[in-house]
Amino acid sequence: MPLTMAAAGEMNSIKKVGGKTDTKRFLESLGFVPGGQVTVVSENNGNVIVNVKESRVAISREMANKIMV
């Protein structure tokens, strides 16, 4: 399922990062790599705040839909 469907506070394992090469590279530089752990902190107007690699990152709904957990 895409990251946008994950429940807040629940730790998930990243299965796949989709999108174009540039998008994948950008997300991987933020720490979204297959096998990594990600927790949704909150959702605001479709944008998602997540904990990944002990950092909080805000990403858009479009980006979050490319991350499969």
Side-chain angles (χ1 to χ4, degrees), residues 1-10 12-14 16 27 32 38-50 57-69:
M1 72 178 168
L3 186 59
T4 53
M5 301 293 287
E10 182 179 294
N12 295 288
S13 179
I14 299 171
K16 178 183 162 190
L27 289 171
F32 295 99
V38 63
T39 305
V40 175
V41 176
S42 67
E43 185 177 345
N44 187 11
N45 294 332
N47 298 324
V48 183
I49 299 174
V50 297
V57 180
I59 56 174
S60 67
R61 165 174 256 146
E62 292 80 22
M63 290 284 191
N65 278 328
K66 295 178 188 333
I67 302 168
M68 297 295 159
V69 294

Side-chain angles (χ1 to χ4, degrees), residues 17-30 32 63 66:
V17 178
K20 296 180 181 175
T21 305
D22 291 340
T23 304
K24 288 170 79 171
R25 192 174 302 130
F26 173 71
L27 289 171
E28 287 172 356
S29 73
L30 292 175
F32 295 99
M63 290 284 191
K66 295 178 188 333

